[in-house]
Amino acid sequence: MQKFSIIEKFTELFSELGNCKEEVQKQKIEELYGLMDKMDKKEFKSIFSRELFDKIGKMLEANKLSLENTIVLSKFIGFCNSLQGLCIESFDSSLLGTKFEKMIIEENKKKEGKNEKLLIGLCECFLALSYDTSSELIPVCVPCLLKGALNKEENEEIQKEGEMALLALSCVDQFYDLRQDLYLNEIKEIITYHKEHRNLTCLAYQSIWNLNELHFLKEAAKELEELSKCVDWKKKEVEEISKEESKKELILMRWIEILEIYFLYCNLWNEEYVSLFSSIVQVSRAARENKREICYWCICSLRSAAKNRNVRVEDLLKGGAIDVVLEEMNQSTLDDAIIWNCLNFFLNISRRLKEKEDDEKEEEERKELKRKIFEKMEEKGFEDCEIGFRELVFEVKNLFIAQPCVCLIILFLNLTLKYYRLELTLVK
Protein backbone atom coordinates (compact mmCIF):
# COMPACT_ATOMS: atom_id res chain seq x y z
CA MET A 1 0.00 0.00 0.00
CA GLN A 2 1.42 3.35 -1.02
CA LYS A 3 1.90 6.16 1.47
CA PHE A 4 -0.61 8.56 -0.05
CA SER A 5 -3.46 6.04 0.40
CA ILE A 6 -3.03 5.58 4.17
CA ILE A 7 -5.60 8.23 5.15
CA GLU A 8 -8.19 6.91 2.69
CA LYS A 9 -7.63 3.33 3.84
CA PHE A 10 -7.90 4.34 7.50
CA THR A 11 -11.14 6.28 6.90
CA GLU A 12 -12.68 3.39 5.00
CA LEU A 13 -11.68 0.80 7.61
CA PHE A 14 -12.87 3.00 10.49
CA SER A 15 -16.29 3.43 8.86
CA GLU A 16 -16.72 -0.36 8.95
CA LEU A 17 -16.20 -0.68 12.72
CA GLY A 18 -19.80 0.00 13.75
CA ASN A 19 -21.25 -2.62 11.42
CA CYS A 20 -19.51 -5.77 12.58
CA LYS A 21 -19.37 -8.10 15.57
CA GLU A 22 -16.99 -7.60 18.48
CA GLU A 23 -14.43 -10.19 17.40
CA VAL A 24 -14.28 -8.76 13.89
CA GLN A 25 -13.96 -5.30 15.43
CA LYS A 26 -10.84 -6.44 17.27
CA GLN A 27 -9.24 -7.54 14.00
CA LYS A 28 -10.12 -4.28 12.30
CA ILE A 29 -8.72 -2.28 15.24
CA GLU A 30 -5.42 -4.16 14.85
CA GLU A 31 -5.45 -3.21 11.17
CA LEU A 32 -6.15 0.42 12.08
CA TYR A 33 -3.18 0.32 14.46
CA GLY A 34 -1.00 -0.97 11.61
CA LEU A 35 -2.04 2.03 9.52
CA MET A 36 -1.45 4.48 12.39
CA ASP A 37 2.01 3.02 12.84
CA LYS A 38 2.85 3.96 9.23
CA MET A 39 1.57 7.54 9.39
CA ASP A 40 3.83 10.54 9.57
CA LYS A 41 3.03 13.47 11.87
CA LYS A 42 1.04 15.41 9.28
CA GLU A 43 -1.12 12.42 8.36
CA PHE A 44 -1.67 11.52 12.01
CA LYS A 45 -2.79 15.03 12.98
CA SER A 46 -5.15 15.27 10.00
CA ILE A 47 -6.93 12.04 11.01
CA PHE A 48 -7.32 12.48 14.75
CA SER A 49 -9.61 15.47 14.98
CA ARG A 50 -12.41 16.20 17.44
CA GLU A 51 -14.83 14.87 14.83
CA LEU A 52 -13.21 11.43 14.89
CA PHE A 53 -13.17 11.28 18.71
CA ASP A 54 -16.83 12.34 18.72
CA LYS A 55 -17.61 9.48 16.33
CA ILE A 56 -15.88 6.97 18.61
CA GLY A 57 -17.84 8.37 21.59
CA LYS A 58 -21.15 8.07 19.72
CA MET A 59 -20.35 4.49 18.66
CA LEU A 60 -19.68 3.65 22.31
CA GLU A 61 -22.95 5.26 23.42
CA ALA A 62 -24.93 3.37 20.78
CA ASN A 63 -23.24 0.05 21.71
CA LYS A 64 -21.82 -0.18 18.19
CA LEU A 65 -18.36 -0.34 19.73
CA SER A 66 -17.80 -2.23 22.98
CA LEU A 67 -16.09 -0.50 25.89
CA GLU A 68 -13.24 -3.00 25.75
CA ASN A 69 -12.63 -2.34 22.06
CA THR A 70 -12.99 1.42 22.57
CA ILE A 71 -10.22 1.31 25.17
CA VAL A 72 -8.00 -0.86 22.97
CA LEU A 73 -8.45 1.53 20.02
CA SER A 74 -7.79 4.55 22.25
CA LYS A 75 -4.63 2.93 23.66
CA PHE A 76 -3.32 2.40 20.14
CA ILE A 77 -4.03 6.04 19.29
CA GLY A 78 -2.37 7.19 22.52
CA PHE A 79 0.68 4.99 21.93
CA CYS A 80 1.25 6.33 18.40
CA ASN A 81 0.54 9.88 19.55
CA SER A 82 3.18 9.61 22.31
CA LEU A 83 5.69 8.02 19.96
CA GLN A 84 5.23 10.88 17.48
CA GLY A 85 5.52 13.43 20.30
CA LEU A 86 2.27 15.15 19.30
CA CYS A 87 -0.42 16.95 21.31
CA ILE A 88 -4.03 16.24 20.31
CA GLU A 89 -5.87 19.25 21.72
CA SER A 90 -9.24 18.07 20.39
CA PHE A 91 -9.52 14.99 22.63
CA ASP A 92 -10.32 16.81 25.90
CA SER A 93 -13.38 18.60 24.52
CA SER A 94 -14.61 15.63 22.48
CA LEU A 95 -17.46 13.30 23.42
CA LEU A 96 -14.99 10.45 23.98
CA GLY A 97 -12.77 12.59 26.21
CA THR A 98 -15.65 13.73 28.43
CA LYS A 99 -17.02 10.17 28.64
CA PHE A 100 -13.65 8.75 29.72
CA GLU A 101 -13.30 11.49 32.32
CA LYS A 102 -16.74 10.76 33.76
CA MET A 103 -16.11 7.00 33.80
CA ILE A 104 -12.79 7.42 35.63
CA ILE A 105 -14.42 9.55 38.32
CA GLU A 106 -17.34 7.14 38.75
CA GLU A 107 -15.17 4.02 38.87
CA ASN A 108 -12.73 5.61 41.31
CA LYS A 109 -15.56 6.55 43.70
CA LYS A 110 -16.65 2.94 44.09
CA LYS A 111 -15.78 1.56 47.51
CA GLU A 112 -16.74 -2.00 46.59
CA GLY A 113 -16.53 -3.81 43.28
CA LYS A 114 -14.03 -1.40 41.76
CA ASN A 115 -12.74 -2.71 38.43
CA GLU A 116 -8.99 -2.00 38.70
CA LYS A 117 -8.21 -3.25 35.19
CA LEU A 118 -10.88 -1.02 33.66
CA LEU A 119 -9.71 1.96 35.70
CA ILE A 120 -6.08 1.47 34.62
CA GLY A 121 -7.15 1.18 30.96
CA LEU A 122 -9.24 4.37 31.15
CA CYS A 123 -6.43 6.26 32.90
CA GLU A 124 -3.90 5.11 30.29
CA CYS A 125 -6.09 6.39 27.47
CA PHE A 126 -6.86 9.66 29.22
CA LEU A 127 -3.26 10.61 30.04
CA ALA A 128 -1.86 9.47 26.69
CA LEU A 129 -4.43 11.53 24.76
CA SER A 130 -5.23 14.47 27.03
CA TYR A 131 -3.69 17.82 26.15
CA ASP A 132 -4.59 19.33 29.52
CA THR A 133 -2.26 17.29 31.71
CA SER A 134 -2.92 19.59 34.66
CA SER A 135 -6.35 18.03 34.91
CA GLU A 136 -7.91 17.23 38.27
CA LEU A 137 -7.93 13.59 37.19
CA ILE A 138 -4.16 13.28 37.45
CA PRO A 139 -4.21 12.63 41.25
CA VAL A 140 -6.54 9.73 40.46
CA CYS A 141 -4.67 8.42 37.43
CA VAL A 142 -1.08 8.55 38.68
CA PRO A 143 -1.37 6.12 41.66
CA CYS A 144 -3.48 3.84 39.51
CA LEU A 145 -0.91 3.69 36.70
CA LEU A 146 2.03 3.32 39.07
CA LYS A 147 0.28 0.27 40.45
CA GLY A 148 -0.11 -1.08 36.91
CA ALA A 149 3.54 -0.40 36.08
CA LEU A 150 4.66 -2.22 39.25
CA ASN A 151 2.82 -5.41 38.31
CA LYS A 152 5.63 -7.98 38.02
CA GLU A 153 3.65 -10.91 36.65
CA GLU A 154 5.57 -12.37 33.73
CA ASN A 155 3.10 -12.73 30.89
CA GLU A 156 2.70 -10.85 27.62
CA GLU A 157 -0.59 -9.14 28.50
CA ILE A 158 0.74 -7.76 31.82
CA GLN A 159 3.95 -6.64 30.12
CA LYS A 160 2.01 -4.69 27.47
CA GLU A 161 -0.17 -3.18 30.18
CA GLY A 162 2.92 -2.09 32.09
CA GLU A 163 4.43 -0.54 28.98
CA MET A 164 1.32 1.48 28.24
CA ALA A 165 1.08 2.59 31.89
CA LEU A 166 4.68 3.85 31.78
CA LEU A 167 4.11 5.64 28.50
CA ALA A 168 0.98 7.32 29.86
CA LEU A 169 2.82 8.34 33.03
CA SER A 170 5.58 9.94 30.98
CA CYS A 171 2.93 12.28 29.49
CA VAL A 172 2.13 13.78 32.91
CA ASP A 173 2.93 17.46 33.34
CA GLN A 174 6.48 17.83 34.63
CA PHE A 175 5.43 20.16 37.46
CA TYR A 176 3.04 17.64 38.98
CA ASP A 177 3.91 15.76 42.19
CA LEU A 178 4.86 12.70 40.13
CA ARG A 179 8.31 14.26 39.94
CA GLN A 180 8.39 15.09 43.64
CA ASP A 181 8.75 13.03 46.82
CA LEU A 182 5.15 11.79 46.79
CA TYR A 183 5.79 8.89 44.37
CA LEU A 184 9.57 8.70 44.47
CA ASN A 185 9.81 5.28 46.12
CA GLU A 186 7.43 3.71 43.59
CA ILE A 187 9.34 5.25 40.68
CA LYS A 188 12.65 3.99 42.04
CA GLU A 189 11.23 0.50 42.40
CA ILE A 190 9.94 0.54 38.82
CA ILE A 191 13.31 1.72 37.50
CA THR A 192 15.29 -0.82 39.52
CA TYR A 193 13.07 -3.75 38.54
CA HIS A 194 12.92 -3.02 34.82
CA LYS A 195 16.60 -2.16 34.64
CA GLU A 196 17.44 -5.58 36.08
CA HIS A 197 15.03 -7.49 33.83
CA ARG A 198 15.30 -5.32 30.70
CA ASN A 199 12.03 -6.83 29.49
CA LEU A 200 10.42 -3.75 27.97
CA THR A 201 10.60 -2.06 24.59
CA CYS A 202 12.97 0.89 24.12
CA LEU A 203 10.03 3.30 24.23
CA ALA A 204 8.65 1.98 27.52
CA TYR A 205 12.13 1.81 29.06
CA GLN A 206 12.73 5.40 28.01
CA SER A 207 9.47 6.41 29.64
CA ILE A 208 10.63 5.04 32.99
CA TRP A 209 13.66 7.28 32.91
CA ASN A 210 11.45 10.21 31.91
CA LEU A 211 9.79 9.83 35.33
CA ASN A 212 12.99 10.13 37.31
CA GLU A 213 15.19 13.22 37.66
CA LEU A 214 17.70 11.77 40.09
CA HIS A 215 20.23 9.67 38.24
CA PHE A 216 19.49 8.68 34.68
CA LEU A 217 22.24 10.50 32.82
CA LYS A 218 24.66 7.60 32.37
CA GLU A 219 21.80 5.44 31.15
CA ALA A 220 20.57 8.17 28.80
CA ALA A 221 24.04 8.54 27.28
CA LYS A 222 24.21 4.78 26.76
CA GLU A 223 20.77 4.71 25.12
CA LEU A 224 21.71 7.57 22.77
CA GLU A 225 24.82 5.72 21.67
CA GLU A 226 22.95 2.45 21.11
CA LEU A 227 20.08 4.08 19.20
CA SER A 228 22.52 6.12 17.13
CA LYS A 229 23.96 2.88 15.76
CA CYS A 230 20.49 1.87 14.51
CA VAL A 231 19.89 5.02 12.44
CA ASP A 232 20.97 5.25 8.81
CA TRP A 233 22.37 8.79 8.92
CA LYS A 234 23.02 8.80 5.17
CA LYS A 235 19.32 8.60 4.35
CA LYS A 236 17.58 11.96 4.16
CA GLU A 237 14.40 12.69 6.12
CA VAL A 238 12.32 12.70 2.92
CA GLU A 239 13.50 9.25 1.83
CA GLU A 240 11.61 6.04 2.52
CA ILE A 241 12.89 4.15 5.54
CA SER A 242 11.70 0.96 7.19
CA LYS A 243 9.15 1.02 10.00
CA GLU A 244 11.76 -0.22 12.46
CA GLU A 245 14.23 2.49 11.42
CA SER A 246 11.52 5.12 11.74
CA LYS A 247 10.71 4.01 15.30
CA LYS A 248 14.37 4.10 16.28
CA GLU A 249 14.64 7.67 15.00
CA LEU A 250 11.51 8.74 16.88
CA ILE A 251 12.72 7.14 20.12
CA LEU A 252 16.14 8.76 19.70
CA MET A 253 14.48 12.14 19.22
CA ARG A 254 12.30 11.60 22.31
CA TRP A 255 15.46 11.03 24.35
CA ILE A 256 16.84 14.37 23.17
CA GLU A 257 13.53 16.10 23.92
CA ILE A 258 13.47 14.58 27.42
CA LEU A 259 17.01 15.82 28.01
CA GLU A 260 16.09 19.31 26.81
CA ILE A 261 13.37 19.49 29.48
CA TYR A 262 15.69 17.90 32.06
CA PHE A 263 18.39 20.52 31.52
CA LEU A 264 15.86 23.32 31.91
CA TYR A 265 14.87 22.24 35.43
CA CYS A 266 17.66 20.11 36.93
CA ASN A 267 18.78 21.57 40.25
CA LEU A 268 21.94 19.59 41.00
CA TRP A 269 25.31 19.31 39.30
CA ASN A 270 26.14 15.81 38.09
CA GLU A 271 29.58 14.45 37.21
CA GLU A 272 28.05 12.53 34.29
CA TYR A 273 27.17 15.70 32.35
CA VAL A 274 30.38 15.61 30.30
CA SER A 275 29.76 12.11 28.89
CA LEU A 276 26.12 12.98 28.21
CA PHE A 277 27.08 16.16 26.33
CA SER A 278 29.56 14.10 24.37
CA SER A 279 26.78 11.70 23.32
CA ILE A 280 24.48 14.57 22.30
CA VAL A 281 27.32 16.13 20.30
CA GLN A 282 27.94 12.86 18.45
CA VAL A 283 24.25 12.57 17.55
CA SER A 284 24.13 16.22 16.42
CA ARG A 285 27.10 15.76 14.10
CA ALA A 286 25.68 12.53 12.68
CA ALA A 287 22.30 14.18 12.09
CA ARG A 288 23.63 17.44 10.62
CA GLU A 289 23.36 16.58 6.94
CA ASN A 290 20.17 14.56 6.62
CA LYS A 291 18.25 14.51 9.93
CA ARG A 292 17.76 18.18 10.67
CA GLU A 293 14.93 17.75 13.18
CA ILE A 294 17.13 15.56 15.37
CA CYS A 295 19.95 18.09 14.99
CA TYR A 296 17.54 20.86 16.03
CA TRP A 297 16.63 19.10 19.29
CA CYS A 298 20.29 18.44 20.05
CA ILE A 299 21.07 22.16 19.83
CA CYS A 300 17.93 22.94 21.89
CA SER A 301 19.09 20.62 24.67
CA LEU A 302 22.55 22.22 24.71
CA ARG A 303 20.98 25.68 24.79
CA SER A 304 18.90 24.67 27.83
CA ALA A 305 21.99 23.27 29.54
CA ALA A 306 23.91 26.49 28.92
CA LYS A 307 21.09 28.46 30.54
CA ASN A 308 20.97 26.37 33.72
CA ARG A 309 23.40 27.56 36.40
CA ASN A 310 23.55 24.07 37.87
CA VAL A 311 25.32 22.94 34.70
CA ARG A 312 28.96 23.99 34.56
CA VAL A 313 30.17 25.87 31.50
CA GLU A 314 33.40 23.88 31.85
CA ASP A 315 31.44 20.64 31.33
CA LEU A 316 29.87 22.03 28.14
CA LEU A 317 33.37 22.81 26.88
CA LYS A 318 34.78 19.39 27.82
CA GLY A 319 31.79 17.57 26.31
CA GLY A 320 32.29 19.29 22.93
CA ALA A 321 29.13 21.41 23.09
CA ILE A 322 30.97 24.65 22.23
CA ASP A 323 32.59 23.02 19.20
CA VAL A 324 29.41 21.52 17.77
CA VAL A 325 27.42 24.76 18.12
CA LEU A 326 30.18 26.70 16.37
CA GLU A 327 30.30 24.06 13.64
CA GLU A 328 26.56 24.45 13.13
CA MET A 329 26.95 28.22 12.80
CA ASN A 330 29.60 27.65 10.14
CA GLN A 331 27.28 25.66 7.87
CA SER A 332 26.86 27.04 4.36
CA THR A 333 23.13 26.35 4.48
CA LEU A 334 21.77 27.84 7.67
CA ASP A 335 18.55 26.85 9.42
CA ASP A 336 17.06 29.93 11.10
CA ALA A 337 15.50 27.95 13.98
CA ILE A 338 18.74 26.12 14.74
CA ILE A 339 20.86 29.26 14.40
CA TRP A 340 18.57 31.12 16.77
CA ASN A 341 19.19 28.40 19.38
CA CYS A 342 22.93 28.61 18.67
CA LEU A 343 22.87 32.35 19.30
CA ASN A 344 20.94 31.85 22.53
CA PHE A 345 23.41 29.17 23.56
CA PHE A 346 26.25 31.66 23.36
CA LEU A 347 24.19 34.44 24.90
CA ASN A 348 23.73 32.22 27.96
CA ILE A 349 27.44 31.37 27.99
CA SER A 350 28.32 35.04 27.64
CA ARG A 351 26.10 36.05 30.55
CA ARG A 352 27.62 33.46 32.84
CA LEU A 353 31.21 34.24 31.89
CA LYS A 354 30.66 37.91 32.70
CA GLU A 355 29.79 37.14 36.32
CA LYS A 356 32.86 37.71 38.44
CA GLU A 357 33.63 35.41 41.37
CA ASP A 358 34.43 36.62 44.89
CA ASP A 359 36.87 33.81 45.51
CA GLU A 360 40.26 34.61 43.93
CA LYS A 361 40.90 31.04 42.75
CA GLU A 362 37.42 30.72 41.23
CA GLU A 363 37.86 34.09 39.51
CA GLU A 364 41.08 32.87 37.90
CA GLU A 365 39.33 29.71 36.75
CA ARG A 366 36.52 31.82 35.25
CA LYS A 367 38.99 33.96 33.30
CA GLU A 368 40.84 30.86 32.04
CA LEU A 369 37.59 29.24 30.94
CA LYS A 370 36.58 32.45 29.18
CA ARG A 371 39.92 32.53 27.36
CA LYS A 372 39.55 28.91 26.19
CA ILE A 373 36.07 29.53 24.82
CA PHE A 374 37.14 32.66 22.96
CA GLU A 375 40.06 30.75 21.47
CA LYS A 376 37.62 28.10 20.27
CA MET A 377 35.47 30.77 18.63
CA GLU A 378 38.47 32.38 16.94
CA GLU A 379 39.63 28.98 15.63
CA LYS A 380 36.26 28.63 13.89
CA GLY A 381 36.50 32.09 12.34
CA PHE A 382 34.43 34.10 14.82
CA GLU A 383 36.77 36.99 15.62
CA ASP A 384 36.12 39.84 18.04
CA CYS A 385 33.47 37.79 19.79
CA GLU A 386 34.18 39.31 23.21
CA ILE A 387 33.46 42.82 21.90
CA GLY A 388 30.30 42.33 20.01
CA PHE A 389 28.66 38.94 20.51
CA ARG A 390 26.38 39.97 23.33
CA GLU A 391 25.25 43.09 21.48
CA LEU A 392 24.65 41.08 18.30
CA VAL A 393 22.32 38.63 19.99
CA PHE A 394 20.28 41.42 21.55
CA GLU A 395 20.03 43.13 18.17
CA VAL A 396 18.86 39.86 16.58
CA LYS A 397 16.28 39.43 19.35
CA ASN A 398 14.99 42.98 18.75
CA LEU A 399 14.81 42.28 15.04
CA PHE A 400 12.70 39.19 15.69
CA ILE A 401 10.28 41.24 17.77
CA ALA A 402 10.10 44.29 15.50
CA GLN A 403 10.25 42.67 12.08
CA PRO A 404 7.64 40.02 11.24
CA CYS A 405 9.18 39.20 7.88
CA VAL A 406 11.01 35.91 8.36
CA CYS A 407 12.90 36.30 5.07
CA LEU A 408 14.60 39.47 6.32
CA ILE A 409 15.54 37.73 9.57
CA ILE A 410 17.06 34.77 7.76
CA LEU A 411 18.89 37.12 5.39
CA PHE A 412 20.26 39.07 8.35
CA LEU A 413 21.51 35.90 10.04
CA ASN A 414 23.04 34.56 6.85
CA LEU A 415 24.85 37.78 6.03
CA THR A 416 26.11 38.11 9.59
CA LEU A 417 27.38 34.59 9.95
CA LYS A 418 28.57 34.18 6.37
CA TYR A 419 31.49 36.47 6.99
CA TYR A 420 32.21 35.05 10.44
CA ARG A 421 32.10 38.43 12.16
CA LEU A 422 30.29 38.76 15.49
CA GLU A 423 30.90 42.48 15.85
CA LEU A 424 28.66 45.35 16.85
CA THR A 425 29.50 47.15 13.60
CA LEU A 426 27.54 44.59 11.57
CA VAL A 427 24.20 45.37 13.21
CA LYS A 428 24.42 49.18 13.38
Side-chain angles (χ1 to χ4, degrees):
M1 182 175 55
Q2 296 181 7
K3 187 177 180 180
F4 67 82
S5 66
I6 287 179
I7 293 177
E8 290 180 332
K9 182 65 176 177
F10 184 94
T11 304
E12 180 184 349
L13 191 60
F14 179 82
S15 66
E16 298 171 0
L17 274 183
N19 302 315
C20 51
K21 294 180 179 180
E22 188 169 347
E23 285 302 315
V24 179
Q25 280 184 349
K26 288 181 180 179
Q27 296 174 6
K28 290 186 179 294
I29 288 171
E30 289 286 345
E31 292 179 49
L32 287 170
Y33 170 59
L35 292 170
M36 285 184 251
D37 201 32
K38 294 177 182 177
M39 292 179 186
D40 59 28
K41 289 185 177 182
K42 187 177 180 181
E43 290 166 334
F44 194 87
K45 289 181 77 172
S46 70
I47 283 286
F48 294 101
S49 60
R50 176 174 174 173
E51 182 183 3
L52 185 131
F53 288 119
D54 283 342
K55 285 181 180 178
I56 298 174
K58 288 175 182 176
M59 290 167 68
L60 177 61
E61 280 187 339
N63 293 319
K64 290 185 176 181
L65 191 63
S66 69
L67 177 57
E68 182 182 350
N69 282 346
T70 302
I71 290 175
V72 171
L73 176 58
S74 300
K75 281 184 184 181
F76 285 151
I77 299 170
F79 180 86
C80 293
N81 177 60
S82 298
L83 180 61
Q84 294 273 13
L86 296 172
C87 294
I88 304 178
E89 299 180 36
S90 56
F91 172 78
D92 293 302
S93 59
S94 70
L95 178 60
L96 182 63
T98 53
K99 282 189 73 66
F100 276 180
E101 186 170 356
K102 183 180 178 182
M103 291 171 73
I104 290 171
I105 293 170
E106 290 177 351
E107 194 64 36
N108 187 62
K109 282 182 179 178
K110 292 180 181 177
K111 293 185 178 180
E112 293 183 2
K114 185 184 294 185
N115 189 331
E116 294 285 353
K117 184 179 179 180
L118 172 62
L119 189 56
I120 290 174
L122 290 168
C123 290
E124 287 170 352
C125 297
F126 181 81
L127 288 188
L129 292 172
S130 177
Y131 176 75
D132 180 16
T133 52
S134 61
S135 167
E136 294 178 0
L137 281 187
I138 291 182
V140 176
C141 292
V142 168
C144 182
L145 293 183
L146 283 171
K147 185 176 181 179
L150 278 167
N151 192 332
K152 298 172 184 177
E153 292 182 40
E154 295 185 6
N155 67 66
E156 189 175 348
E157 184 180 351
I158 295 298
Q159 181 178 326
K160 286 183 178 179
E161 198 67 51
E163 289 182 353
M164 190 61 205
L166 289 169
L167 193 62
L169 281 168
S170 71
C171 298
V172 176
D173 193 297
Q174 61 190 330
F175 297 108
Y176 184 64
D177 282 339
L178 177 61
R179 296 180 181 256
Q180 307 303 324
D181 293 340
L182 188 58
Y183 300 110
L184 204 53
N185 289 335
E186 288 90 338
I187 294 169
K188 284 181 179 178
E189 186 178 346
I190 292 170
I191 291 173
T192 302
Y193 177 78
H194 289 296
K195 186 176 181 182
E196 288 175 356
H197 290 75
R198 198 64 162 131
N199 61 346
L200 298 177
T201 63
C202 288
L203 184 61
Y205 189 59
Q206 177 189 85
S207 299
I208 304 175
W209 290 104
N210 193 21
L211 304 177
N212 177 40
E213 286 190 354
L214 296 181
H215 191 76
F216 82 125
L217 302 183
K218 185 177 181 181
E219 196 69 23
K222 179 183 175 183
E223 289 292 316
L224 285 180
E225 291 171 9
E226 291 299 316
L227 285 165
S228 186
K229 295 174 185 176
C230 302
V231 176
D232 187 345
W233 298 108
K234 293 181 181 180
K235 282 188 178 179
K236 295 185 178 181
E237 290 174 338
V238 295
E239 294 180 22
E240 287 288 337
I241 59 176
S242 70
K243 184 169 67 175
E244 189 60 30
E245 282 180 310
S246 178
K247 281 187 177 180
K248 294 293 184 183
E249 283 188 23
L250 286 169
I251 293 170
L252 175 64
M253 193 152 62
R254 282 183 96 248
W255 266 116
I256 304 294
E257 290 172 0
I258 288 169
L259 290 168
E260 196 265 337
I261 295 171
Y262 171 82
F263 285 129
L264 275 176
Y265 302 108
C266 62
N267 53 21
L268 289 173
W269 175 78
N270 193 303
E271 62 183 9
E272 295 171 358
Y273 283 153
V274 174
S275 62
L276 183 56
F277 291 141
S278 179
S279 296
I280 294 172
V281 165
Q282 289 177 33
V283 172
S284 181
R285 284 180 175 141
R288 182 177 293 150
E289 296 298 323
N290 299 317
K291 312 288 183 182
R292 296 299 288 169
E293 189 173 5
I294 294 176
C295 184
Y296 166 80
W297 281 107
C298 287
I299 301 299
C300 281
S301 67
L302 296 176
R303 177 214 63 202
S304 296
K307 185 177 181 180
N308 192 322
R309 296 179 184 277
N310 296 306
V311 178
R312 295 178 183 175
V313 175
E314 182 181 1
D315 290 344
L316 287 163
L317 180 62
K318 288 180 179 178
I322 306 289
D323 292 277
V324 82
V325 174
L326 287 171
E327 289 165 13
E328 190 59 45
M329 293 173 75
N330 260 327
Q331 292 297 296
S332 57
T333 303
L334 298 175
D335 184 311
D336 58 309
I338 293 180
I339 290 301
W340 177 239
N341 280 293
C342 289
L343 291 171
N344 271 278
F345 172 88
F346 279 112
L347 173 59
N348 292 324
I349 295 291
S350 176
R351 282 172 176 162
R352 295 177 63 183
L353 290 177
K354 275 183 170 286
E355 297 171 354
K356 295 183 178 180
E357 301 291 343
D358 295 330
D359 183 272
E360 186 176 337
K361 183 180 178 181
E362 291 180 353
E363 176 61 15
E364 287 299 316
E365 289 175 353
R366 181 191 72 86
K367 287 181 179 179
E368 178 63 16
L369 181 59
K370 188 176 180 180
R371 184 188 63 78
K372 287 179 180 178
I373 291 176
F374 287 150
E375 285 180 355
K376 285 276 185 187
M377 297 183 80
E378 288 179 353
E379 284 174 13
K380 301 292 183 181
F382 294 91
E383 302 96 3
D384 301 325
C385 52
E386 183 172 7
I387 298 172
F389 187 82
R390 189 176 178 84
E391 287 83 355
L392 170 64
V393 177
F394 277 118
E395 289 292 334
V396 175
K397 186 181 289 185
N398 290 335
L399 181 60
F400 262 94
I401 295 170
Q403 176 54 264
C405 180
V406 176
C407 292
L408 289 178
I409 296 168
I410 297 172
L411 177 62
F412 174 82
L413 290 171
N414 272 277
L415 288 174
T416 303
L417 298 170
K418 181 179 179 182
Y419 296 101
Y420 314 112
R421 303 287 290 180
L422 295 177
E423 296 180 305
L424 182 59
T425 53
L426 282 176
V427 292
K428 285 185 176 178

